[in-house]
Amino acid sequence: MLLGKYQASLSIHQTHSIPLHGQATIMNDPSLHTVMIADNKNDAEQGQRWLVQVHPLDLEQNRVQLGQRAVTLGRSDRCGVVLDDESVSRQHACIQCGEAGYEIEDLGSTNGVLVNDEVVQRQTLRTGDRIQLGQRIFRFLADTDVEAQYHETVYSMMTRDGLTSAFNKRYLLECLDREVARANRHHRSLAVILLDIDHFKSINDEHGHLVGDEVLRELALRLTRLLVGDEIFARFGGEEFAILDGEADLESAGHLAERCRQVVASDPFDTSDGLIEVTISLGVATPCTRTISSREELLAEADARLYQAKRNGRNRVVLS
């Protein structure tokens, strides 16, 4: 369950379906953005299958019901599922139901088809698979236990970034409000680390935005593996991320920031366009023993230290 210390309040909305060329059905549901359900090894069995778009958020076309007929996905208006995105080919991929279950096939696309971050030409899909077509990311899921997973699904949609699976900015700010109040009330320390990928625009310009997305995902994966306990890791915007470390003093937060810097810089990022050296700059802020009036004050302090790290040559940590 995705429940715990920072549980958010949720609301459930009704869904309605729109038939699509007799091949698939689009489900309009502003809440249902991504689904995480248990792996089902029997996807060849009877049961409804769905594609749920998890990145970017699309409130008009976020859930596609798959039928027994083949469905083509692409930029062309003649496709069963139209994806208005320049990173998607006119006829990018096809999903059809066979004896082994639903299969996806690359139709000669420019940017390829990725299933669970692996390039594939043709592959049988299993419940929970992550499918990427250009910059569009979907989850393949079954009806199995959908109702039981609904609350968890909506919670994940509201709190997670679809590209990196890090928490999103909204979730971070809600947590930060509570932690600032708690730190002031109990006179405890609190640390915020803001970090930014150095020269990320150059990575996008030289290697393309899809490779830039790979770098963002790998960065999130490395840092998520490093963090433990109640440390909150979130995508703050673009190539900027934040870490909220409750009850951490300046020294321990500084050590954590340095470990983050090292785990990013230690090994090149292995991308579809080859190895890329990546570094990050980090700014650390903590109120220590003084009272902090708001989350904005703490974030502004961390941002100032991040700017100082950039100005001083990048690939470094600066403390408040």
Side-chain angles (χ1 to χ4, degrees):
M1 292 292 292
L2 295 175
L3 306 176
K5 182 177 179 182
Y6 300 110
Q7 182 175 4
S9 60
L10 308 175
S11 62
I12 299 177
H13 303 276
Q14 290 183 328
T15 65
H16 60 279
S17 61
I18 302 173
L20 186 69
H21 301 308
Q23 298 177 335
T25 301
I26 300 293
M27 299 299 294
N28 284 341
D29 179 0
S31 293
L32 189 52
H33 174 51
T34 181
V35 169
M36 295 182 179
I37 62 180
D39 183 34
N40 177 8
K41 297 181 180 180
N42 299 315
D43 276 348
E45 295 178 0
Q46 293 294 327
Q48 191 58 64
R49 300 296 181 264
W50 306 84
L51 279 183
V52 177
Q53 182 167 307
V54 298
H55 179 79
L57 177 61
D58 186 341
L59 298 181
E60 296 300 321
Q61 178 177 304
N62 68 333
R63 192 159 67 140
V64 178
Q65 183 179 10
L66 301 173
Q68 296 300 308
R69 297 177 59 187
V71 179
T72 303
L73 300 92
R75 205 171 69 248
S76 170
D77 291 338
R78 303 187 65 179
C79 290
V81 177
V82 179
L83 304 174
D84 187 15
D85 190 317
E86 288 299 318
S87 67
V88 175
S89 296
R90 291 185 60 79
Q91 293 191 6
H92 199 111
C94 177
I95 296 179
Q96 56 186 337
C97 185
E99 292 184 0
Y102 281 87
E103 296 181 333
I104 188 166
E105 180 181 4
D106 190 342
L107 299 179
S109 66
T110 300
N111 291 318
V113 174
L114 284 77
V115 176
N116 301 325
D117 296 324
E118 297 289 337
V119 178
V120 302
Q121 179 59 42
R122 186 184 186 95
Q123 181 162 316
T124 300
L125 297 172
R126 295 177 59 173
T127 297
D129 278 350
R130 172 189 172 108
I131 301 168
Q132 182 169 355
L133 311 177
Q135 292 183 306
R136 298 294 182 104
I137 301 175
F138 301 85
R139 288 282 186 183
F140 176 78
L141 60 113
D143 269 347
T144 310
D145 295 330
V146 166
E147 291 299 325
Q149 297 292 329
Y150 190 79
H151 288 276
E152 189 170 342
T153 296
V154 177
Y155 178 78
S156 178
M157 176 275 295
M158 294 181 65
T159 59
R160 294 280 181 178
D161 173 60
L163 178 65
T164 65
S165 296
F167 287 111
N168 59 28
K169 183 177 181 179
R170 172 183 174 177
Y171 179 83
L172 173 76
L173 295 179
E174 291 176 354
C175 294
L176 190 52
D177 278 338
R178 288 191 289 271
E179 287 300 299
V180 166
R182 188 176 66 88
N184 287 334
R185 184 168 59 251
H186 299 290
H187 305 289
R188 294 175 178 173
S189 58
L190 168 68
V192 169
I193 303 170
L194 288 184
L195 62 99
D196 186 272
I197 300 177
D198 297 327
H199 303 297
F200 186 68
K201 183 178 184 300
S202 297
I203 294 175
N204 277 334
D205 291 344
E206 182 177 350
H207 302 280
H209 289 277
L210 290 177
V211 173
D213 287 349
E214 292 180 45
V215 169
L216 291 172
R217 286 198 298 271
E218 176 63 19
L219 173 81
L221 182 61
R222 292 189 186 193
L223 296 186
T224 299
R225 288 173 174 170
L226 180 68
L227 300 175
V228 295
D230 288 334
E231 297 158 349
I232 302 298
F233 175 65
R235 188 178 181 188
F236 201 65
E239 69 272 26
E240 190 173 11
F241 294 81
I243 299 171
L244 172 59
D245 194 356
E247 302 190 16
D249 58 21
L250 188 61
E251 182 179 3
S252 63
H255 287 318
L256 174 60
E258 177 58 23
R259 293 200 304 274
C260 290
R261 188 196 67 79
Q262 290 177 5
V263 79
V264 172
S266 60
D267 294 300
F269 284 33
D270 189 4
T271 74
S272 58
D273 201 35
L275 298 177
I276 299 177
E277 298 284 347
V278 178
T279 62
I280 57 175
S281 299
L282 306 96
V284 183
T286 176
C288 296
T289 57
R290 66 182 176 85
T291 300
I292 188 162
S293 61
S294 67
R295 72 187 187 195
E296 287 79 14
E297 182 181 343
L298 189 57
L299 287 169
E301 178 70 17
D303 189 60
R305 301 288 77 79
L306 172 58
Y307 177 77
Q308 186 178 349
K310 292 283 190 180
R311 187 177 56 194
N312 291 348
R314 298 181 171 85
N315 191 24
R316 64 192 65 227
V317 176
V318 173
L319 310 180
S320 59

